[in-house]
Amino acid sequence: MIKIESLFFSYQNSPNEDVLKNINLKVKAGEFVLLTGKSGCGKSTLLNMISGIIPHHTLGNLRGRIFVDNKDVQKHGVQEMSLSVGSVFQNPKSQFFHLNTTDEVLFSASNKGVPELELENRLRETTKLFNLTKLLHRNIFGLSGGEKQKIACASTYAGKPEIFVFDEPSANLDQGAIDELSGILSSLKEKNHTILVAEHRFFHLMDIVDKVIYMESGEIKRVYQREEFLSLSDQARKAMGLRDVHRTEIKKEILTLVTGDESSNWAGSINSDFELKHLNYKYGKTPVINIEHIALNREQVVAIIGKNGCGKSTLAHCLCGLKKGGLLLLNGKEYSEKKRLKAFELVMQDVNHQLFTESVMDEMLLAASNDALMEEINKVLAELDLLEYSAKHPMSLSGGQKQRLVIGASIMAGKDYIIFDEPTSGLDYVHMEAFAEIIKILKTKNKLILIITHDYELINLCCDRVISLSDN
């Protein structure tokens, strides 16, 4: 089904730097393959070659041979390859073509010329499989990150390809949605589809994966059969930069706030550095958040968890002044939306919105407070494993590397209140652990840090409190 021989690839903007090196790989029809390794190891590049995006859309120098569904990828364009291969990208927004969610679900199928009556059948089938009833007929940009991910997966499925490639499909999903995703992938496998998934969080795949491909610096270092991979010790797996093979449970006390309940509150301590009162936010006529009172103190790291679409990112945007809502008191003083913009630092879910300059170093210098020293900037870059990329353009980095760059820039801004929205969605274990260590250091500098996350491993490493938002 997929055959790759002696494959090398370098991007057009870095012709002397191979990001894939001597790749030799065979994937049989119906196999379920997990691609994993540290962020930046070449997983996404390899998936994009299988789909034909490389070399036909993203240009570069390709040497070697790659055949997918008996087609020479170098001789068949993206349109033709899409008849065989369906892709779900790391950033689902980058593959949307419609504003309406229902139209987007049907885009792949309609683009292949599927008749209208069959489109209706596929919509019913896809809606049932992906549990989409509440997501249809909505503006796609009103969805949460996890809901967008689900729409992207559904659209790909409706196109009925033989081969599915998923790039970090669980990155922005809550635990329940991850369980749904694993059920969907299991169904695809039962239907004898060939599936390749690039993932950092892969505990949900361990019951259905056939083999695991471990990549490092653009090379395939090892191919494991499922049982062989599961037999690796925790120490060996972590040394490879890989996450846990089992589901992680939160080891902290969880406070649940029912966001639609006017009595929902957490009084906290009497003299709090941070108080949010009377936050009631709606999208149109639809209530999203209704929180009466939250009180916190600096030198805390607070995780905010909850289902996709429960209002976590909306809460962050209200706190930062990007949306109007609630009475915010910092050290007893009321902060308007305009003052909040200056007091808070926010690392967004889609980090591409926060990259502005021509190099990694320029990005750090732009964010840095006036008294920041170059030594301090280099130290943060080194801790985030980005120092060697100082001269590179931010948009040439992998998804995980971009994530770490924006995290580094937020640290250099030197603000007392920092909100991270899914900061580890594209990070391997090594870089997630490094991020947790940085957070612990920031906490000692009299800062309040809020982390919106589905990453329970991160919570156990560095968070002091856990607030769960619930809509019922």
Side-chain angles (χ1 to χ4, degrees):
M1 179 60 70
I2 298 173
K3 184 178 181 181
I4 303 175
E5 299 175 336
S6 303
L7 186 69
F8 292 77
F9 179 76
S10 60
Y11 286 104
Q12 189 177 49
N13 58 359
S14 302
N16 298 319
E17 183 182 336
D18 287 327
V19 292
L20 292 180
K21 306 166 188 174
N22 197 29
I23 301 293
N24 291 279
L25 177 66
K26 290 183 180 179
V27 179
K28 299 175 184 177
E31 270 195 313
F32 192 117
V33 178
L34 168 65
L35 293 175
T36 193
K38 295 178 183 178
S39 56
C41 70
K43 302 184 298 295
S44 298
T45 299
L46 183 55
L47 290 185
N48 286 338
M49 300 198 78
I50 291 169
S51 67
I53 292 172
I54 297 174
H56 300 292
H57 182 270
T58 303
L59 304 180
N61 179 23
L62 187 158
R63 293 100 69 202
R65 307 176 73 192
I66 174 168
F67 295 89
V68 177
D69 197 18
N70 296 318
K71 299 171 186 174
D72 185 338
V73 171
Q74 296 186 73
K75 296 179 181 178
H76 295 79
V78 176
Q79 181 72 18
E80 191 170 353
M81 292 307 302
S82 70
L83 298 175
S84 302
V85 184
S87 299
V88 178
F89 303 145
Q90 193 169 358
N91 179 6
K93 196 164 65 173
S94 65
Q95 68 187 91
F96 292 152
F97 291 86
H98 291 280
L99 290 176
N100 182 276
T101 53
T102 305
D103 293 337
E104 186 59 39
V105 169
L106 291 175
F107 173 77
S108 178
S110 60
N111 197 43
K112 295 177 180 179
V114 173
E116 187 171 347
L117 183 60
E118 175 60 17
L119 286 178
E120 294 176 3
N121 292 333
R122 292 196 187 186
L123 180 61
R124 282 194 292 270
E125 178 188 355
T126 305
T127 299
K128 182 178 179 181
L129 180 62
F130 285 82
N131 191 22
L132 294 180
T133 303
K134 293 182 180 180
L135 297 183
L136 295 180
H137 309 296
R138 290 175 59 181
N139 186 318
I140 208 159
F141 293 104
L143 304 182
S144 71
E147 289 168 335
K148 289 173 185 173
Q149 189 79 303
K150 186 181 277 193
I151 292 294
C153 290
S155 178
T156 300
Y157 174 79
K160 298 289 185 182
E162 286 298 316
I163 302 167
F164 289 84
V165 297
F166 295 88
D167 196 354
E168 300 284 353
S170 73
N172 298 314
L173 300 184
D174 62 56
Q175 299 295 306
I178 287 176
D179 290 340
E180 283 186 37
L181 173 66
S182 62
I184 291 163
L185 293 174
S186 182
S187 296
L188 293 177
K189 182 180 178 181
E190 289 173 2
K191 295 176 182 179
N192 206 39
H193 288 288
T194 306
I195 305 165
L196 292 93
V197 181
E199 273 281 23
H200 289 301
R201 289 194 300 168
F202 44 65
F203 65 87
H204 58 290
L205 304 177
M206 288 297 97
D207 289 338
I208 52 178
V209 69
D210 294 309
K211 63 186 179 187
V212 178
I213 296 172
Y214 174 67
M215 296 185 67
E216 187 177 302
S217 301
E219 299 181 77
I220 294 178
K221 288 294 185 180
R222 186 75 183 267
V223 178
Y224 296 90
Q225 296 303 311
R226 174 182 173 275
E227 293 303 325
E228 185 183 13
F229 184 73
L230 286 172
S231 70
L232 289 172
S233 67
D234 287 349
Q235 184 178 7
R237 195 182 59 254
K238 289 178 180 179
M240 296 161 65
L242 303 182
R243 300 292 197 103
D244 203 330
V245 295
H246 304 293
R247 184 186 299 273
T248 301
E249 300 298 334
I250 296 175
K251 298 176 182 178
K252 316 280 182 177
E253 181 182 356
I254 300 174
L255 172 79
T256 299
L257 295 184
V258 181
T259 57
D261 184 350
E262 291 185 5
S263 65
S264 183
N265 71 87
W266 182 22
S269 57
I270 297 173
N271 299 311
S272 297
D273 302 319
F274 167 106
E275 286 190 86
L276 177 68
K277 299 180 178 180
H278 318 309
L279 175 57
N280 188 318
Y281 192 88
K282 299 179 180 179
Y283 285 113
K285 295 182 180 179
T286 305
V288 179
I289 296 181
N290 191 347
I291 294 175
E292 185 61 24
H293 187 208
I294 297 177
L296 302 167
N297 284 309
R298 286 193 281 188
E299 296 193 355
Q300 286 185 344
V301 181
V302 180
I304 299 176
I305 65 174
K307 294 179 180 179
N308 296 123
C310 72
K312 300 185 299 297
S313 295
T314 300
L315 171 61
H317 293 170
C318 289
L319 291 176
C320 292
L322 296 175
K323 289 181 169 62
K324 293 184 177 182
L327 171 66
L328 181 65
L329 301 175
L330 300 180
N331 296 314
K333 296 180 181 179
E334 183 177 344
Y335 270 60
S336 64
E337 282 78 15
K338 186 175 181 180
K339 289 177 70 176
R340 296 180 199 182
L341 288 169
K342 295 181 179 180
F344 281 82
E345 183 71 18
L346 171 66
V347 176
M348 296 180 182
Q349 200 168 32
D350 184 354
V351 294
N352 291 299
H353 292 314
Q354 292 178 275
L355 297 171
F356 307 105
T357 68
E358 299 297 312
S359 75
V360 168
M361 181 56 73
D362 286 344
E363 204 70 45
M364 295 291 282
L365 290 170
L366 177 66
S369 56
N370 294 332
D371 58 350
L373 300 174
M374 186 60 68
E375 181 182 351
E376 185 179 355
I377 292 175
N378 286 334
K379 181 180 178 183
V380 172
L381 285 175
E383 288 172 339
L384 294 171
D385 203 15
L386 291 173
L387 189 57
E388 65 181 291
Y389 304 103
S390 295
K392 281 195 169 291
H393 196 290
M395 300 311 292
S396 71
L397 303 178
S398 73
Q401 290 167 336
K402 289 178 185 176
Q403 193 91 1
R404 300 195 318 261
L405 174 56
V406 174
I407 288 168
S410 71
I411 292 167
M412 296 312 304
K415 296 184 180 179
D416 292 332
Y417 303 91
I418 309 175
I419 302 177
F420 296 97
D421 195 350
E422 296 290 356
T424 59
S425 59
L427 299 190
D428 55 67
Y429 183 85
V430 169
H431 294 112
M432 182 268 291
E433 191 174 41
F435 171 70
E437 290 303 312
I438 290 173
I439 292 300
K440 291 176 185 177
I441 293 170
L442 286 176
K443 184 180 74 168
T444 66
K445 296 181 178 181
N446 200 31
K447 297 180 186 296
L448 172 62
I449 301 166
L450 304 178
I451 302 178
I452 296 169
T453 186
H454 298 301
D455 191 340
Y456 291 0
E457 286 181 88
L458 175 69
I459 291 173
N460 288 336
L461 280 176
C462 69
C463 294
D464 303 304
R465 298 181 181 273
V466 182
I467 297 176
S468 177
L469 300 187
S470 173
D471 53 8
N472 55 48

